[in-house]
Amino acid sequence: MSNHLRNEETPPAHVALVTGASRGVGRGIALSLLASGFRVYGSGRSIEQADLPPEIRRQRCDHLNDDETAGVFDVIRSGSSGLDLLVNCAWGGYEKMVEDGKFTWAAPFWEQPAHRWTGMMDAGVRAAFVCSAQAARMMTPRRRGLIVNISFWAAQRHLGNTIYGIAKAATDKMTSDMAVELQPFGIPVISLYPGLVRTESVLEAAKSGVFDLATSESPEFIGRVINALFHDPNLLARTGQVLVAAAVAKELGIVDVDGTSPPALSLADI
């Protein structure tokens, strides 16, 4: 058989967009999906300076700007046959945690700086909503796809500050309701909780003993879980659910990049 025929029979790569792919969890997801064979688009405000391989298609975007967000999806439309996977990871909630020498992250809601609402609700929840709407317009005609919203346990108990809890609870509710409206098209929507992830900021904080990394996850781990979910034949049965990445990994036989199996944290652990 000729190389030409073999190439024609090779199925096209699935197409994924990871928002907030410049660093942290988003960067790890983008790297992991690329390694799993996806054609990956990564968006973010600083994506052009990100430490990413050239195979990841970088789309500079401030997801607070709807026109810039629409432009990202226009690029995907023009450069591929469709969008198979959206991972909403864009998030501005961890910026400026210390201001004028004061740690404002854990301040009561009446002392929270206004920018934290913008970072969590607008750059986080609203950005995920707008991206999901754009993705749904591409996915519904093909009647396939997957939307993953990265969330956390703050949706279910007070962690850190009130705005954080509002944002994560809103993300999980958004997942649940979007799932209802997309189920007739066979498109699942899930909220996925990471554990303690060895992002750049966590590694820096660990130097001073803030975090115990013994049970932590690599940034690529949750991308491995997303890939496994994407290929799970029973994925639609999970739509609208909140899933803990490490628990899904144990169920589907996924390990971290170093071969370990991170523990699935529970609400009690948090």
Side-chain angles (χ1 to χ4, degrees), residues 10 32 34 37 50 60 114 141 150-151 194 196 211 228 236 239 256 258 269:
T10 301
S32 189
L34 179 69
R60 196 275 169 196
I150 303 300
S151 189
L196 176 61
F211 295 117
L236 194 58
T239 191
D256 208 338
D258 59 359
D269 296 323

Side-chain angles (χ1 to χ4, degrees), residues 107-123:
F109 71 88
W110 60 91
E111 294 180 5
Q112 284 287 330
H115 70 77
R116 190 150 292 137
W117 180 274
T118 300
M120 294 184 179
M121 296 300 296
D122 295 340

Side-chain angles (χ1 to χ4, degrees), residues 18 20 27 34 43 55 78 99 104 134 144 153-154 161 167-169 176 202 205 214 231 239 241-243 256:
V18 182
R27 176 179 174 273
L34 179 69
S43 66
E55 292 82 3
S78 64
E99 299 174 89
T104 62
Q134 289 278 357
R144 69 175 187 267
W153 289 104
N161 63 70
K168 295 308 182 184
S176 176
V202 167
H231 291 97
T239 191
Q241 295 180 15
V242 170
L243 303 177
D256 208 338

Side-chain angles (χ1 to χ4, degrees), residues 167-188:
K168 295 308 182 184
T171 297
D172 289 355
K173 178 59 174 171
M174 179 173 65
T175 292
S176 176
D177 286 4
M178 284 181 176
V180 171
E181 296 179 3
L182 284 173
Q183 187 156 12
F185 299 92
I187 299 169

Side-chain angles (χ1 to χ4, degrees), residues 41-254:
Y41 291 82
S43 66
R45 288 174 295 181
S46 58
I47 196 75
E48 293 168 337
Q49 291 77 45
D51 181 16
L52 292 168
E55 292 82 3
I56 292 179
R57 292 159 168 80
R58 306 175 190 223
Q59 299 298 314
R60 196 275 169 196
C61 179
D62 181 350
H63 284 290
L64 288 169
N65 185 315
D66 292 350
D67 290 337
E68 291 188 16
T69 296
V72 172
F73 285 87
D74 287 342
V75 168
I76 297 173
R77 285 188 187 91
S78 64
S80 57
S81 59
L83 180 65
D84 300 292
L85 170 63
L86 168 65
V87 183
N88 285 310
C89 202
W91 173 255
Y94 297 141
E95 299 172 348
K96 295 188 287 188
M97 297 178 77
V98 177
E99 299 174 89
D100 299 324
K102 182 180 179 181
F103 183 65
T104 62
W105 169 263
F109 71 88
W110 60 91
E111 294 180 5
Q112 284 287 330
H115 70 77
R116 190 150 292 137
W117 180 274
T118 300
M120 294 184 179
M121 296 300 296
D122 295 340
V125 181
R126 187 180 184 281
F129 178 87
V130 173
C131 287
S132 296
Q134 289 278 357
R137 294 174 195 137
M138 297 180 68
M139 292 175 176
T140 51
R142 303 168 71 214
R143 304 185 76 87
R144 69 175 187 267
L146 168 63
I147 297 174
V148 177
N149 297 317
I150 303 300
S151 189
F152 198 58
W153 289 104
Q156 302 183 36
R157 64 168 295 180
H158 184 277
L159 287 176
N161 63 70
T162 295
I163 305 173
Y164 189 37
I166 294 170
K168 295 308 182 184
T171 297
D172 289 355
K173 178 59 174 171
M174 179 173 65
T175 292
S176 176
D177 286 4
M178 284 181 176
V180 171
E181 296 179 3
L182 284 173
Q183 187 156 12
F185 299 92
I187 299 169
V189 188
I190 62 171
S191 280
L192 195 58
Y193 288 9
L196 176 61
V197 182
R198 295 188 296 276
T199 61
E200 299 89 342
S201 58
V202 167
L203 289 174
E204 184 63 29
K207 294 178 182 178
S208 59
V210 174
F211 295 117
D212 179 2
L213 301 181
T215 60
S216 62
E217 306 166 359
S218 74
E220 293 83 4
F221 176 67
I222 198 165
R224 289 185 166 203
V225 173
I226 291 171
N227 176 60
L229 284 169
F230 182 84
H231 291 97
D232 181 3
N234 298 314
L235 176 59
L236 194 58
R238 304 179 191 264
T239 191
Q241 295 180 15
V242 170
L243 303 177
V244 178
V248 173
K250 290 185 185 300
E251 176 187 345
L252 300 181
I254 306 302

